[in-house]
Amino acid sequence: MNKIAQIFETLDYGPAPESPDPALAWLKSHGNKFGHFIDGEWTRPGKSFASENPANGKVLAQITDGTQADVEKAVKAARAAFKPWSALSGYERGKHLYAIARLVQKHSRLFAVLESLDNGKPIRESRDVDIPLVARHFYHHAGWAQHLEREFPDHVPYGVCGQIIPWNFPLLMLAWKIAPALAAGNTVVLKPAEFTSLTALLFAEIVEKASLPKGVVNIVTGMGETGAAIVNHPDVDKIAFTGSTEVGKIIRAATAGTGKGLSLELGGKSPYLVFEDADIDSAVEGLVDAIWFNQGQVCCAGSRLLVQESIEDRFIRKLKLRMSTLRVGDPLDKAIDIGALVAQVQVERVRDLMKKGVEEGGMVYEPDIELPKSGCFLRPALVTNVSPSHTLVAEEIFGPVLVAMSFRTPEEAVALANNTKYGLAATIWSENINLALDIAPKLKAGVVWINGTNSFDAAVGFGGYKESGFGREGGKEGMAAYLKPAWEQTLKAATTSAAPAKAEASTNPLDVDSTSIDRTAKMYIGGKQARPDSGYSRPVLGPNGELVGEVGEGNRKDIRNAVEAARAALSWGTATAHSRAQILYFLAENLEYRADEFARRLRAQTGESLASAHKEVAASVERLFAFAGWADKYDGAVHNPPSRAIAVAMVEPIGVIGIVAPPSRPLLGAVALIAPALAMGNPVVLVPSERSPLSATDLYQVIETSDVPAGVVNIVTGDAVSLAKTLAEHDGVDALWFAGSREASAMVEKASIGNLKQTWTTRGLTYDLADREKFEGDYFLKRATQIKNVWVPYGA
């Protein structure tokens, strides 16, 4: 037998080393010690920490630990550069981004080697995945820079963007954030992860070579305190963070009430669904990429294997066989599958979780693979005999560990897949395209891959649902994350209008006119009128202090009941858009039929003229018509990434939306907020105007006669701020819109961190919801929806 035949018989791999010399020479040219890159200049190195090669523990360089003063200097430079940079034409900014893309390509080998030295990922991943995607993002956003005015009319950049990136994809995460920020006209202060700062510092040299104006990009290295200084800096206008959910919640709390833009791309525990009709060999190979790519240190790693029971044994056997052939070793060896974890602390964290998993009954399989004698290496692991509540199933491990469970039916597969606090990504393997496309919309994840995994492109948005964060990176929605409506810059502080004078008798709950029939308005929960749990009511007073009526005093239990009813009505989001449109039209028609009655009620509560009250009713009817019209028109897109696949961007409802209406315009204020939410398929819990709630309680009489399904609209009256706090803290509420004071808005945003619900608050500013131009379109539609990108491969 000749040698070639022997090679094909054994399939043994010899070493294929990549030389580290050019990267080490670059480090040496800097004396293996780095300061910050601020205002186009390199600062002198300060107090530093070591950046080590996780494959062997050797120190690569000393990195300066940024101080509050360093962050102050960087933000000041970014602020000074913002006005001239944003004043450039999109074409001029695009040329700079294009230059960066070309320079990244020119130095791609150096970037790839440096990334693998610093991070520990295999060189073929850095070389063939990370760096080409970095260049792709700058090319893609060079085009966006030139076309922003056409695609985002009347939008402006935020200003200074603080960006904090993780260690698992150091340069790629930098590109995901810097490219759209610069294209939009923002300036940047970026902090790389302390474990992996080197490619960000090399990128700073690229910025110099591309002749980017000074101060547009500033790189400040450091530990967590440096990142906190950026987050808390009062002159930073937007924060973009990728990292753990725990830190994401801290940042959400820190930015509450500040008005800063915020996008969070956080953790995940992504399901990998394999149906019985799948190509098993392909699914096994895809799973290798899903969980052992970058040593499992991927936020969207397919770490939960869900395989149909009928093929479970065969699939697990094949998977174990494939695991035994994986190669673990030197990241600079091009024949290696799994490199080093980023640091010893991460190795210990994975080991601790595995120990806990075994204590809970998990059975661990690790192939008999020889590991290097030093460095941060772990064998790939498969854990079986687990349940949905098992620690290794519920918690993000961020290491080369796969947990496996089985399912019998597609319905059970969806239930298991969605049984997580996360919602970043999911994978479906099936040869039945009908089944795959039926399952994909049911998965609560921002990205779904069909018969493939870990596909990324600059033209396709990436981001999560639930505690995986909010906002998108890449695609049009990622570009939108760095822009805001120009009119938001002109908002004025709301003037607090005097509340109706309270009659002395109103303080006594028993002191009601005994000659009149009690017409206390009930709440509306689950399609039925409901008395308040408190057993108390509150008076509604007219402009002169006269008693107009009473409403129930809602409490925590009323909110709980309303949220439960709303969650039971989530099927509203799967109704056809045409059906939702018809119901909203019907609602508008019935409201118009009772216009005189509603106008008189408005006049009694607010003291406005009857003519003015009629205008508010007419505007409310028109707003319902407007969003009925949007219901079947605000839809997604089909992206064409540079691969044999399409990515279908599906517009989906967020879920249950809590809405606290403004005190003024009691009818229009409520309708202007619930109409876009309903049009997009979200059930709502409405807290009406605290001062004038009777227009909203009258509205449920219209709702009852307009074919609105039970639970789609729920109304709880009472103290707006206390009820808002309860809604903010409730994990069954997916988003919260609040109109109120700056202090109360900050409270709502901070109280929402439990499940990282999306919030919109007025922050004590005047939002004139009667303005059709601003609020009859996508301003609220995009807040009532989230984008799911479904990747569908094609071709034989």
Side-chain angles (χ1 to χ4, degrees):
M1 183 181 290
N2 61 38
K3 188 174 181 180
I4 293 176
Q6 288 176 332
I7 290 173
F8 275 99
E9 183 70 28
T10 62
L11 288 179
D12 286 337
Y13 285 82
E18 174 80 33
S19 173
D21 292 346
L24 296 176
W26 178 80
L27 293 170
K28 188 176 180 181
S29 71
H30 285 269
N32 296 86
K33 196 165 188 177
F34 292 86
H36 310 299
F37 182 71
I38 297 175
D39 202 19
E41 307 288 341
W42 290 93
T43 67
R44 295 184 62 179
K47 181 182 177 182
S48 63
F49 55 89
S51 184
E52 298 179 351
N53 182 341
N56 55 28
K58 293 182 179 179
V59 174
L60 295 168
Q62 293 292 325
I63 308 297
T64 296
D65 191 5
T67 64
Q68 181 78 43
D70 294 325
V71 170
E72 181 67 38
K73 184 179 178 181
V75 173
K76 185 177 180 180
R79 177 59 64 196
F82 170 62
K83 189 172 181 179
W85 174 250
S86 59
L88 289 177
S89 69
Y91 167 63
E92 291 295 331
R93 290 198 303 274
K95 285 199 297 184
H96 283 291
L97 291 172
Y98 175 76
I100 291 172
R102 290 296 301 268
L103 286 166
V104 167
Q105 286 183 316
K106 181 178 179 179
H107 299 283
S108 60
R109 201 72 171 196
L110 174 59
F111 271 115
V113 174
L114 188 62
E115 194 81 302
S116 289
L117 281 173
D118 201 25
N119 171 274
K121 65 175 61 187
I123 181 64
R124 58 192 180 90
E125 292 180 9
S126 300
R127 180 196 64 197
D128 300 340
V129 179
D130 290 24
I131 310 306
L133 272 174
V134 170
R136 164 73 174 145
H137 271 266
F138 281 101
Y139 276 126
H140 179 77
H141 287 92
W144 266 124
Q146 194 165 355
H147 296 300
L148 283 180
E149 291 183 6
R150 296 180 183 88
E151 291 297 312
F152 297 94
D154 302 317
H155 279 66
V156 293
Y158 275 91
V160 176
C161 294
Q163 302 178 326
I164 302 169
I165 58 175
W167 44 258
N168 55 339
F169 292 92
L171 191 64
L172 182 56
M173 294 296 101
L174 176 150
W176 279 20
K177 287 181 167 51
I178 287 184
L182 299 193
N186 300 282
T187 54
V188 165
V189 177
L190 180 136
K191 189 196 90 70
E194 56 266 32
F195 289 137
T196 54
S197 300
L198 297 180
T199 48
L201 296 167
L202 176 57
F203 179 80
E205 289 194 357
I206 295 295
V207 165
E208 288 183 293
K209 293 179 188 296
S211 300
L212 204 66
K214 291 185 176 183
V216 171
V217 170
N218 304 273
I219 309 291
V220 180
T221 55
M223 300 285 190
E225 292 79 7
T226 309
I230 294 173
V231 169
N232 294 317
H233 198 290
D235 206 26
V236 171
D237 303 298
K238 175 184 168 65
I239 297 294
F241 171 76
T242 296
S244 71
T245 295
E246 179 184 11
V247 175
K249 290 181 177 182
I250 293 171
I251 292 173
R252 182 72 191 92
T255 58
T258 64
K260 293 180 181 180
L262 181 64
S263 51
L264 300 173
E265 197 265 281
L266 307 175
K269 194 69 180 179
S270 300
Y272 190 96
L273 287 73
V274 183
F275 289 90
E276 60 188 359
D277 62 354
D279 179 336
I280 293 181
D281 291 330
S282 295
V284 168
E285 201 60 34
L287 185 55
V288 169
D289 185 41
I291 182 58
W292 293 302
F293 177 68
N294 198 22
Q295 298 71 254
Q297 299 169 131
V298 184
C299 52
C300 57
S303 54
R304 286 189 298 143
L305 170 62
L306 304 175
V307 59
Q308 198 150 15
E309 191 176 79
S310 57
I311 62 167
E312 180 185 14
D313 290 343
R314 184 156 56 111
F315 189 91
I316 295 298
R317 283 198 305 272
K318 283 180 173 284
L319 177 60
K320 288 180 177 179
L321 180 63
R322 180 66 179 91
M323 289 172 67
S324 68
T325 67
L326 293 173
R327 302 174 298 278
V328 181
D330 180 7
L332 289 186
D333 185 343
K334 292 184 284 290
I336 287 301
D337 297 304
I338 300 176
L341 275 70
V342 73
Q344 190 61 37
V345 65
Q346 185 65 14
V347 172
E348 295 306 320
R349 180 182 184 276
V350 174
R351 285 175 175 164
D352 288 346
L353 282 169
M354 290 287 285
K355 182 179 179 181
K356 187 173 183 180
V358 170
E359 291 172 354
E360 293 178 8
M363 298 176 62
V364 178
Y365 168 77
E366 292 182 348
D368 185 17
I369 297 174
E370 184 177 354
L371 297 180
K373 292 182 172 55
S374 63
C376 303
F377 296 94
L378 286 174
R379 293 183 179 86
L382 169 66
V383 184
T384 55
N385 195 40
V386 293
S387 66
S389 62
H390 195 282
T391 296
L392 297 184
V393 176
E395 297 300 321
E396 185 179 34
I397 302 171
F398 226 62
V401 181
L402 174 69
V403 295
M405 296 182 291
S406 65
F407 64 87
R408 292 182 177 178
T409 65
E411 293 75 19
E412 185 183 4
V414 170
L416 286 170
N418 289 337
N419 184 35
T420 174
K421 62 185 178 182
Y422 300 109
L424 190 53
T427 300
I428 300 169
W429 282 86
S430 171
E431 290 297 286
N432 184 341
I433 192 64
N434 293 323
L435 175 63
L437 292 179
D438 177 58
I439 296 297
K442 297 175 181 177
L443 299 178
K444 300 302 180 185
V447 181
V448 177
W449 294 295
I450 294 176
N451 291 341
T453 195
N454 280 341
S455 297
F456 307 102
D457 186 61
V460 184
F462 180 87
Y465 291 6
K466 301 188 288 188
E467 292 192 34
S468 289
F470 47 79
R472 294 292 182 266
E473 297 186 280
K476 186 174 182 178
E477 55 267 37
M479 193 65 251
Y482 285 92
L483 296 161
K484 62 182 180 180
W487 57 261
E488 284 191 348
Q489 299 181 120
T490 65
L491 291 172
K492 307 292 185 186
T495 56
T496 306
S497 57
K502 289 190 177 182
E504 286 296 324
S506 67
T507 60
N508 186 343
L510 299 178
D511 193 1
V512 180
D513 185 358
S514 61
T515 63
S516 64
I517 300 175
D518 182 14
R519 295 292 300 273
T520 301
K522 297 182 179 67
M523 299 178 187
Y524 189 64
I525 298 175
K528 298 178 180 179
Q529 298 182 35
R531 291 184 174 86
D533 172 71
S534 69
Y536 291 99
S537 59
R538 57 166 45 214
V540 179
L541 305 178
N544 298 318
E546 72 277 15
L547 185 67
V548 178
E550 294 183 274
V551 294
E553 187 69 72
N555 64 14
R556 180 177 295 273
K557 186 175 180 181
D558 296 311
I559 290 291
R560 182 199 69 186
N561 294 340
V563 173
E564 287 178 357
R567 296 211 70 81
L570 284 171
S571 57
W572 174 247
T574 61
T576 67
H578 172 65
S579 295
R580 293 198 301 270
Q582 282 185 300
I583 289 172
L584 285 173
Y585 278 129
F586 195 20
L587 188 62
E589 178 186 343
N590 287 334
L591 177 58
E592 186 174 42
Y593 181 75
R594 299 175 60 174
D596 288 342
E597 174 189 338
F598 274 84
R600 288 194 300 272
R601 180 71 94 173
L602 284 169
R603 182 179 62 172
Q605 294 174 100
T606 66
E608 62 183 307
S609 69
L610 191 59
S612 178
H614 270 288
K615 285 182 180 179
E616 182 172 342
V617 177
S620 301
V621 171
E622 184 176 2
R623 196 62 56 90
L624 285 167
F625 258 77
F627 286 106
W630 274 120
D632 59 358
K633 298 174 184 64
Y634 192 76
D635 50 20
V638 176
H639 301 303
N640 184 27
S643 61
R644 292 174 64 83
I646 59 171
V648 182
M650 302 176 62
V651 176
E652 296 189 335
I654 289 181
V656 174
I657 299 182
I659 296 176
V660 182
S664 61
R665 300 185 188 275
L667 180 61
L668 179 60
V671 168
L673 297 177
I674 67 171
L678 297 180
M680 294 296 99
N682 303 279
V684 303
V685 176
L686 171 68
V687 177
S689 166
E690 178 181 338
R691 193 164 65 207
S692 309
L694 294 173
S695 294
T697 57
D698 288 347
L699 191 63
Y700 66 61
Q701 299 170 25
V702 180
I703 292 170
E704 287 178 321
T705 59
S706 301
D707 296 340
V708 179
V712 169
V713 178
N714 305 274
I715 301 172
V716 179
T717 53
D719 181 271
V721 173
S722 63
L723 294 177
K725 185 173 188 295
T726 302
L727 284 168
E729 293 171 342
H730 200 302
D731 285 350
V733 177
D734 301 297
L736 180 55
W737 300 351
F738 175 81
S741 70
R742 180 178 179 180
E743 295 75 19
S745 295
M747 177 276 294
V748 162
E749 292 173 4
K750 192 168 186 178
S752 295
I753 66 171
N755 65 342
L756 280 173
K757 58 176 61 67
Q758 300 183 41
T759 60
W760 172 83
T761 64
T762 60
R763 295 180 291 111
L765 301 174
T766 299
Y767 283 77
D768 182 7
L769 296 179
D771 190 326
R772 293 175 51 208
E773 185 177 348
K774 294 183 177 70
F775 300 115
E776 240 180 43
D778 66 355
Y779 185 79
F780 282 119
L781 290 173
K782 68 181 181 182
R783 287 165 175 77
T785 55
Q786 49 198 352
I787 303 296
K788 171 188 289 178
N789 277 284
V790 180
W791 288 71
V792 184
Y794 61 81

